Amino acid sequence: GEEYAEGRGTNSSLQARQSGSHVSETPEVGVAVANMPLERAAQEIDPDSRIGWMWADKSPEALLAYVEHFFTIPDERGQVGDFKPNPMQRRMAAEDSGRDLTIKARQTGSSTFKIAKRVRRMTNGTVSGANCLIAFDKDKRTAYFRERIIHHLEDLKRKGFDFKLKKDNEEAIVIEGLNNRFEFASGEQSHIGRGLAWQEAHFSEFAHWKKETASQLASETLPAVPPPPFGNADIESTPAGESGEFYEMA
């Protein structure tokens, strides 16, 4: 909390360009040189350029443009193509409050978009030394979206932003330089997120978490997420009847 109060977690023009990455030579970053030190690479993204705007600006339009420009996703046939935000995802971007409870239909791309949003924030220099908790209803689904984060980091590498990982296993991904950490859990566990402060938390399919532990797991984590703009929390789910913690929240 102290580092955010001091402004180290805010989106200054310099911090927004400090990616913790090595920038390779691409048309988008112009004169950038492969393996350029961070302090020089940060200067190569012009904050007044379209790339600089997409990289750092806090507007929903910049987020949508960033996702469409930098990221790819597989379609229903497993073919990888450009990430084109759909109407539901565009609405989520426009209405993002930093503390969102989303009742969704299936196959709307809600989880997919919220994961993409978090990869952007954890890599664009907005935060450093930050913790992001990703938890789905099942271990298998959490593992699937962990791979989606890796996929998006590969997307960034193809665009010239090669983030090095100092930790990469089924429990956590830690980005070198920025020291930002993705932690993975699920509603199948008896405890999650204890002992850490979280700048980002994403609970997916929360209505389908075990009814006997859902409230406890949420209470272990959500109080540790500071209010916007320093912290962001998303709880989203398809409905599961008129009972349970998600129903009571909604």
Side-chain angles (χ1 to χ4, degrees):
E2 291 179 359
E3 66 176 338
Y4 290 91
E6 294 169 359
R8 289 165 54 198
T10 60
N11 192 4
S12 71
S13 60
L14 176 60
Q15 290 168 323
R17 302 195 302 276
Q18 288 180 331
S19 63
S21 65
H22 292 172
V23 184
S24 62
E25 193 168 3
T26 70
E28 290 142 15
V29 291
V31 298
V33 178
N35 297 320
M36 181 180 291
L38 172 60
E39 60 271 19
R40 286 187 58 204
Q43 299 172 10
E44 295 299 329
I45 304 177
D46 180 357
D48 296 323
S49 69
R50 180 168 174 78
I51 293 296
W53 171 74
M54 289 189 293
W55 191 262
D57 193 87
K58 295 180 180 181
S59 69
E61 293 80 11
L63 169 61
L64 291 165
Y66 174 99
V67 167
E68 190 165 354
H69 179 82
F70 284 105
F71 289 164
T72 63
I73 54 170
D75 61 19
E76 61 276 3
R77 299 169 298 172
Q79 301 296 314
V80 175
D82 293 340
F83 194 140
K84 302 288 188 181
N86 63 37
M88 176 67 173
Q89 292 165 339
R90 291 181 179 279
R91 180 177 177 181
M92 286 189 294
E95 298 180 357
D96 189 346
S97 71
R99 275 287 195 279
D100 292 319
L101 184 73
T102 304
I103 306 169
K104 64 178 185 177
R106 295 191 181 278
Q107 303 302 317
T108 57
S110 173
S111 299
T112 296
F113 185 74
K114 290 178 185 295
I115 288 291
K117 177 183 73 172
R118 289 194 155 78
V119 173
R120 179 185 187 243
R121 186 165 190 254
M122 295 288 278
T123 57
N124 73 353
T126 300
V127 293
S128 61
N131 297 308
C132 175
L133 178 64
I134 305 293
F136 283 71
D137 55 327
K138 304 292 185 184
D139 290 338
K140 185 176 180 179
R141 280 179 53 78
T142 298
Y144 174 84
F145 279 95
R146 179 199 169 281
E147 290 304 313
R148 181 60 57 81
I149 291 172
I150 293 294
H151 176 91
H152 287 329
L153 291 174
E154 289 295 321
D155 285 336
L156 290 170
K157 182 178 179 179
R158 284 188 289 272
K159 291 289 187 177
F161 298 91
D162 185 9
F163 290 90
K164 307 302 181 185
L165 303 181
K166 69 182 203 178
K167 186 172 186 178
D168 178 13
N169 58 41
E170 64 182 13
E171 295 179 352
I173 294 170
V174 180
I175 299 171
E176 190 174 305
L178 290 171
N179 204 34
N180 287 335
R181 178 187 188 93
F182 292 95
E183 187 90 10
F184 303 101
S186 84
E188 294 185 308
Q189 298 173 216
S190 56
H191 298 283
I192 62 174
R194 298 175 71 178
L196 287 176
W198 302 100
Q199 285 67 51
E200 298 278 335
H202 179 190
F203 291 173
S204 184
E205 291 298 352
F206 191 61
H208 303 274
W209 290 29
K210 294 179 179 179
K211 287 183 170 56
E212 59 271 23
T213 58
S215 177
Q216 173 191 325
L217 295 178
S219 66
E220 289 178 349
T221 306
L222 295 179
V225 181
F230 309 117
N232 291 276
D234 276 299
I235 300 177
E236 42 98 356
S237 186
T238 53
E242 297 182 0
S243 63
E245 186 69 12
F246 184 75
Y247 175 79
E248 294 299 327
M249 287 180 173

mmCIF file of all heavy atoms in Angstrom, residues 58-61 63-64 86-103 113-114 117 228 232-234:
data_model
loop_
_atom_site.group_PDB
_atom_site.id
_atom_site.type_symbol
_atom_site.label_atom_id
_atom_site.label_comp_id
_atom_site.label_asym_id
_atom_site.label_seq_id
_atom_site.Cartn_x
_atom_site.Cartn_y
_atom_site.Cartn_z
ATOM 1 N N LYS A 58 -5.254 5.033 -19.924
ATOM 2 C CA LYS A 58 -6.211 4.332 -19.068
ATOM 3 C C LYS A 58 -7.614 4.246 -19.646
ATOM 4 O O LYS A 58 -8.505 3.646 -19.030
ATOM 5 C CB LYS A 58 -6.274 5.028 -17.699
ATOM 6 C CG LYS A 58 -4.975 4.953 -16.919
ATOM 7 C CD LYS A 58 -5.109 5.649 -15.573
ATOM 8 C CE LYS A 58 -3.817 5.583 -14.776
ATOM 9 N NZ LYS A 58 -3.954 6.245 -13.459
ATOM 10 N N SER A 59 -7.830 4.807 -20.800
ATOM 11 C CA SER A 59 -9.175 4.816 -21.374
ATOM 12 C C SER A 59 -9.586 3.439 -21.885
ATOM 13 O O SER A 59 -8.734 2.626 -22.261
ATOM 14 C CB SER A 59 -9.240 5.814 -22.534
ATOM 15 O OG SER A 59 -8.460 5.354 -23.632
ATOM 16 N N PRO A 60 -10.890 3.135 -21.902
ATOM 17 C CA PRO A 60 -11.345 1.859 -22.469
ATOM 18 C C PRO A 60 -10.994 1.732 -23.945
ATOM 19 O O PRO A 60 -10.726 0.626 -24.423
ATOM 20 C CB PRO A 60 -12.857 1.879 -22.249
ATOM 21 C CG PRO A 60 -13.217 3.304 -21.980
ATOM 22 C CD PRO A 60 -12.020 3.917 -21.353
ATOM 23 N N GLU A 61 -10.949 2.859 -24.664
ATOM 24 C CA GLU A 61 -10.598 2.808 -26.084
ATOM 25 C C GLU A 61 -9.158 2.340 -26.277
ATOM 26 O O GLU A 61 -8.867 1.548 -27.186
ATOM 27 C CB GLU A 61 -10.797 4.187 -26.720
ATOM 28 C CG GLU A 61 -12.240 4.654 -26.797
ATOM 29 C CD GLU A 61 -12.755 5.225 -25.475
ATOM 30 O OE1 GLU A 61 -11.944 5.457 -24.552
ATOM 31 O OE2 GLU A 61 -13.977 5.438 -25.378
ATOM 32 N N LEU A 63 -7.428 0.441 -24.135
ATOM 33 C CA LEU A 63 -7.390 -0.978 -23.770
ATOM 34 C C LEU A 63 -7.857 -1.846 -24.934
ATOM 35 O O LEU A 63 -7.219 -2.850 -25.284
ATOM 36 C CB LEU A 63 -8.263 -1.222 -22.539
ATOM 37 C CG LEU A 63 -8.550 -2.685 -22.182
ATOM 38 C CD1 LEU A 63 -7.266 -3.447 -21.887
ATOM 39 C CD2 LEU A 63 -9.506 -2.770 -20.993
ATOM 40 N N LEU A 64 -8.966 -1.488 -25.554
ATOM 41 C CA LEU A 64 -9.505 -2.266 -26.669
ATOM 42 C C LEU A 64 -8.541 -2.261 -27.856
ATOM 43 O O LEU A 64 -8.315 -3.298 -28.486
ATOM 44 C CB LEU A 64 -10.865 -1.719 -27.082
ATOM 45 C CG LEU A 64 -11.998 -1.945 -26.073
ATOM 46 C CD1 LEU A 64 -13.195 -1.056 -26.401
ATOM 47 C CD2 LEU A 64 -12.421 -3.416 -26.028
ATOM 48 N N ASN A 86 -15.432 -8.535 -28.865
ATOM 49 C CA ASN A 86 -16.837 -8.621 -29.257
ATOM 50 C C ASN A 86 -17.661 -7.577 -28.490
ATOM 51 O O ASN A 86 -17.139 -6.874 -27.614
ATOM 52 C CB ASN A 86 -17.364 -10.039 -29.036
ATOM 53 C CG ASN A 86 -17.342 -10.465 -27.581
ATOM 54 O OD1 ASN A 86 -17.588 -9.681 -26.676
ATOM 55 N ND2 ASN A 86 -17.041 -11.739 -27.329
ATOM 56 N N PRO A 87 -18.950 -7.429 -28.798
ATOM 57 C CA PRO A 87 -19.751 -6.394 -28.132
ATOM 58 C C PRO A 87 -19.771 -6.516 -26.610
ATOM 59 O O PRO A 87 -19.730 -5.494 -25.905
ATOM 60 C CB PRO A 87 -21.146 -6.594 -28.731
ATOM 61 C CG PRO A 87 -20.883 -7.142 -30.093
ATOM 62 C CD PRO A 87 -19.688 -8.041 -29.932
ATOM 63 N N MET A 88 -19.829 -7.734 -26.072
ATOM 64 C CA MET A 88 -19.815 -7.920 -24.625
ATOM 65 C C MET A 88 -18.485 -7.439 -24.032
ATOM 66 O O MET A 88 -18.447 -6.751 -22.998
ATOM 67 C CB MET A 88 -20.040 -9.392 -24.284
ATOM 68 C CG MET A 88 -19.949 -9.724 -22.807
ATOM 69 S SD MET A 88 -21.281 -8.979 -21.838
ATOM 70 C CE MET A 88 -20.974 -9.736 -20.238
ATOM 71 N N GLN A 89 -17.384 -7.786 -24.677
ATOM 72 C CA GLN A 89 -16.072 -7.372 -24.187
ATOM 73 C C GLN A 89 -15.901 -5.851 -24.267
ATOM 74 O O GLN A 89 -15.315 -5.239 -23.367
ATOM 75 C CB GLN A 89 -14.989 -8.093 -24.984
ATOM 76 C CG GLN A 89 -14.957 -9.591 -24.715
ATOM 77 C CD GLN A 89 -14.149 -10.362 -25.736
ATOM 78 O OE1 GLN A 89 -13.914 -9.895 -26.857
ATOM 79 N NE2 GLN A 89 -13.717 -11.557 -25.374
ATOM 80 N N ARG A 90 -16.441 -5.249 -25.312
ATOM 81 C CA ARG A 90 -16.376 -3.797 -25.426
ATOM 82 C C ARG A 90 -17.195 -3.119 -24.327
ATOM 83 O O ARG A 90 -16.794 -2.094 -23.768
ATOM 84 C CB ARG A 90 -16.862 -3.357 -26.811
ATOM 85 C CG ARG A 90 -15.904 -3.765 -27.926
ATOM 86 C CD ARG A 90 -16.364 -3.325 -29.305
ATOM 87 N NE ARG A 90 -15.402 -3.724 -30.299
ATOM 88 C CZ ARG A 90 -14.278 -3.066 -30.579
ATOM 89 N NH1 ARG A 90 -14.008 -1.933 -29.938
ATOM 90 N NH2 ARG A 90 -13.438 -3.504 -31.484
ATOM 91 N N ARG A 91 -18.321 -3.712 -24.004
ATOM 92 C CA ARG A 91 -19.131 -3.155 -22.922
ATOM 93 C C ARG A 91 -18.408 -3.277 -21.580
ATOM 94 O O ARG A 91 -18.438 -2.355 -20.766
ATOM 95 C CB ARG A 91 -20.482 -3.868 -22.872
ATOM 96 C CG ARG A 91 -21.395 -3.342 -21.779
ATOM 97 C CD ARG A 91 -22.749 -4.004 -21.799
ATOM 98 N NE ARG A 91 -23.582 -3.524 -20.706
ATOM 99 C CZ ARG A 91 -24.822 -3.935 -20.463
ATOM 100 N NH1 ARG A 91 -25.387 -4.829 -21.264
ATOM 101 N NH2 ARG A 91 -25.502 -3.453 -19.450
ATOM 102 N N MET A 92 -17.756 -4.429 -21.356
ATOM 103 C CA MET A 92 -17.009 -4.598 -20.112
ATOM 104 C C MET A 92 -15.890 -3.568 -19.995
ATOM 105 O O MET A 92 -15.625 -3.042 -18.909
ATOM 106 C CB MET A 92 -16.449 -6.022 -20.024
ATOM 107 C CG MET A 92 -17.501 -7.067 -19.718
ATOM 108 S SD MET A 92 -16.793 -8.694 -19.358
ATOM 109 C CE MET A 92 -16.080 -9.113 -20.944
ATOM 110 N N ALA A 93 -15.229 -3.272 -21.099
ATOM 111 C CA ALA A 93 -14.169 -2.257 -21.074
ATOM 112 C C ALA A 93 -14.746 -0.889 -20.737
ATOM 113 O O ALA A 93 -14.190 -0.142 -19.915
ATOM 114 C CB ALA A 93 -13.451 -2.221 -22.418
ATOM 115 N N ALA A 94 -15.868 -0.549 -21.352
ATOM 116 C CA ALA A 94 -16.477 0.764 -21.142
ATOM 117 C C ALA A 94 -16.994 0.941 -19.721
ATOM 118 O O ALA A 94 -16.979 2.053 -19.183
ATOM 119 C CB ALA A 94 -17.606 0.972 -22.142
ATOM 120 N N GLU A 95 -17.458 -0.153 -19.089
ATOM 121 C CA GLU A 95 -18.096 -0.068 -17.776
ATOM 122 C C GLU A 95 -17.200 -0.542 -16.630
ATOM 123 O O GLU A 95 -17.664 -0.675 -15.503
ATOM 124 C CB GLU A 95 -19.397 -0.881 -17.794
ATOM 125 C CG GLU A 95 -20.411 -0.350 -18.802
ATOM 126 C CD GLU A 95 -21.702 -1.158 -18.828
ATOM 127 O OE1 GLU A 95 -21.795 -2.172 -18.093
ATOM 128 O OE2 GLU A 95 -22.611 -0.780 -19.586
ATOM 129 N N ASP A 96 -15.930 -0.784 -16.932
ATOM 130 C CA ASP A 96 -14.994 -1.274 -15.915
ATOM 131 C C ASP A 96 -14.862 -0.260 -14.787
ATOM 132 O O ASP A 96 -14.499 0.893 -15.005
ATOM 133 C CB ASP A 96 -13.636 -1.510 -16.564
ATOM 134 C CG ASP A 96 -12.656 -2.218 -15.641
ATOM 135 O OD1 ASP A 96 -12.917 -2.299 -14.426
ATOM 136 O OD2 ASP A 96 -11.614 -2.687 -16.138
ATOM 137 N N SER A 97 -15.172 -0.700 -13.558
ATOM 138 C CA SER A 97 -15.099 0.197 -12.408
ATOM 139 C C SER A 97 -13.902 -0.093 -11.513
ATOM 140 O O SER A 97 -13.610 0.666 -10.594
ATOM 141 C CB SER A 97 -16.378 0.070 -11.572
ATOM 142 O OG SER A 97 -16.411 -1.179 -10.902
ATOM 143 N N GLY A 98 -13.224 -1.231 -11.763
ATOM 144 C CA GLY A 98 -12.161 -1.679 -10.874
ATOM 145 C C GLY A 98 -12.659 -2.564 -9.752
ATOM 146 O O GLY A 98 -11.874 -3.154 -9.008
ATOM 147 N N ARG A 99 -13.993 -2.662 -9.612
ATOM 148 C CA ARG A 99 -14.626 -3.541 -8.615
ATOM 149 C C ARG A 99 -15.902 -4.067 -9.264
ATOM 150 O O ARG A 99 -16.980 -3.528 -9.057
ATOM 151 C CB ARG A 99 -14.996 -2.764 -7.345
ATOM 152 C CG ARG A 99 -13.887 -2.619 -6.317
ATOM 153 C CD ARG A 99 -13.623 -3.939 -5.603
ATOM 154 N NE ARG A 99 -12.832 -3.771 -4.408
ATOM 155 C CZ ARG A 99 -11.514 -3.644 -4.383
ATOM 156 N NH1 ARG A 99 -10.849 -3.627 -5.514
ATOM 157 N NH2 ARG A 99 -10.856 -3.519 -3.246
ATOM 158 N N ASP A 100 -15.758 -5.110 -10.092
ATOM 159 C CA ASP A 100 -16.876 -5.522 -10.939
ATOM 160 C C ASP A 100 -17.378 -6.925 -10.625
ATOM 161 O O ASP A 100 -16.591 -7.855 -10.421
ATOM 162 C CB ASP A 100 -16.471 -5.456 -12.414
ATOM 163 C CG ASP A 100 -16.247 -4.030 -12.879
ATOM 164 O OD1 ASP A 100 -17.041 -3.163 -12.485
ATOM 165 O OD2 ASP A 100 -15.287 -3.789 -13.624
ATOM 166 N N LEU A 101 -18.693 -7.026 -10.584
ATOM 167 C CA LEU A 101 -19.388 -8.305 -10.445
ATOM 168 C C LEU A 101 -20.152 -8.520 -11.752
ATOM 169 O O LEU A 101 -21.051 -7.743 -12.085
ATOM 170 C CB LEU A 101 -20.351 -8.258 -9.263
ATOM 171 C CG LEU A 101 -21.092 -9.555 -8.934
ATOM 172 C CD1 LEU A 101 -20.153 -10.570 -8.309
ATOM 173 C CD2 LEU A 101 -22.264 -9.265 -7.995
ATOM 174 N N THR A 102 -19.796 -9.539 -12.505
ATOM 175 C CA THR A 102 -20.344 -9.748 -13.838
ATOM 176 C C THR A 102 -21.154 -11.037 -13.894
ATOM 177 O O THR A 102 -20.622 -12.120 -13.657
ATOM 178 C CB THR A 102 -19.218 -9.812 -14.890
ATOM 179 O OG1 THR A 102 -18.422 -8.627 -14.816
ATOM 180 C CG2 THR A 102 -19.789 -9.964 -16.290
ATOM 181 N N ILE A 103 -22.440 -10.895 -14.187
ATOM 182 C CA ILE A 103 -23.303 -12.052 -14.452
ATOM 183 C C ILE A 103 -23.298 -12.249 -15.958
ATOM 184 O O ILE A 103 -23.723 -11.361 -16.702
ATOM 185 C CB ILE A 103 -24.736 -11.813 -13.947
ATOM 186 C CG1 ILE A 103 -24.716 -11.422 -12.460
ATOM 187 C CG2 ILE A 103 -25.605 -13.036 -14.168
ATOM 188 C CD1 ILE A 103 -26.043 -10.908 -11.948
ATOM 189 N N PHE A 113 -11.340 -11.851 -21.869
ATOM 190 C CA PHE A 113 -11.037 -10.424 -21.929
ATOM 191 C C PHE A 113 -10.419 -9.927 -20.626
ATOM 192 O O PHE A 113 -9.476 -9.129 -20.630
ATOM 193 C CB PHE A 113 -12.299 -9.623 -22.249
ATOM 194 C CG PHE A 113 -12.040 -8.163 -22.437
ATOM 195 C CD1 PHE A 113 -11.434 -7.698 -23.587
ATOM 196 C CD2 PHE A 113 -12.391 -7.249 -21.451
ATOM 197 C CE1 PHE A 113 -11.170 -6.341 -23.766
ATOM 198 C CE2 PHE A 113 -12.144 -5.890 -21.627
ATOM 199 C CZ PHE A 113 -11.540 -5.437 -22.781
ATOM 200 N N LYS A 114 -10.936 -10.394 -19.504
ATOM 201 C CA LYS A 114 -10.406 -9.935 -18.220
ATOM 202 C C LYS A 114 -8.972 -10.422 -17.998
ATOM 203 O O LYS A 114 -8.164 -9.724 -17.375
ATOM 204 C CB LYS A 114 -11.341 -10.379 -17.092
ATOM 205 C CG LYS A 114 -12.681 -9.635 -17.109
ATOM 206 C CD LYS A 114 -13.612 -10.110 -16.017
ATOM 207 C CE LYS A 114 -14.978 -9.443 -16.130
ATOM 208 N NZ LYS A 114 -14.928 -7.978 -15.911
ATOM 209 N N LYS A 117 -6.838 -8.068 -20.086
ATOM 210 C CA LYS A 117 -6.716 -6.784 -19.382
ATOM 211 C C LYS A 117 -5.642 -6.860 -18.307
ATOM 212 O O LYS A 117 -4.853 -5.912 -18.122
ATOM 213 C CB LYS A 117 -8.073 -6.422 -18.764
ATOM 214 C CG LYS A 117 -8.075 -5.150 -17.948
ATOM 215 C CD LYS A 117 -9.443 -4.903 -17.310
ATOM 216 C CE LYS A 117 -9.702 -5.855 -16.149
ATOM 217 N NZ LYS A 117 -10.945 -5.486 -15.397
ATOM 218 N N PRO A 228 -9.729 0.856 -6.258
ATOM 219 C CA PRO A 228 -9.233 1.474 -7.483
ATOM 220 C C PRO A 228 -8.774 2.911 -7.197
ATOM 221 O O PRO A 228 -9.329 3.557 -6.310
ATOM 222 C CB PRO A 228 -10.459 1.464 -8.410
ATOM 223 C CG PRO A 228 -11.370 0.425 -7.832
ATOM 224 C CD PRO A 228 -11.129 0.435 -6.362
ATOM 225 N N ASN A 232 -7.575 -3.818 -8.404
ATOM 226 C CA ASN A 232 -8.717 -4.178 -9.247
ATOM 227 C C ASN A 232 -9.178 -5.582 -8.902
ATOM 228 O O ASN A 232 -8.351 -6.489 -8.747
ATOM 229 C CB ASN A 232 -8.347 -4.120 -10.726
ATOM 230 C CG ASN A 232 -8.102 -2.710 -11.214
ATOM 231 O OD1 ASN A 232 -9.035 -2.006 -11.565
ATOM 232 N ND2 ASN A 232 -6.841 -2.285 -11.219
ATOM 233 N N ALA A 233 -10.485 -5.762 -8.783
ATOM 234 C CA ALA A 233 -11.046 -7.079 -8.473
ATOM 235 C C ALA A 233 -12.217 -7.363 -9.406
ATOM 236 O O ALA A 233 -13.065 -6.498 -9.631
ATOM 237 C CB ALA A 233 -11.504 -7.142 -7.017
ATOM 238 N N ASP A 234 -12.242 -8.563 -9.943
ATOM 239 C CA ASP A 234 -13.328 -9.022 -10.808
ATOM 240 C C ASP A 234 -13.872 -10.340 -10.273
ATOM 241 O O ASP A 234 -13.099 -11.268 -10.006
ATOM 242 C CB ASP A 234 -12.840 -9.254 -12.237
ATOM 243 C CG ASP A 234 -12.824 -7.984 -13.063
ATOM 244 O OD1 ASP A 234 -13.907 -7.396 -13.237
ATOM 245 O OD2 ASP A 234 -11.742 -7.590 -13.538
#
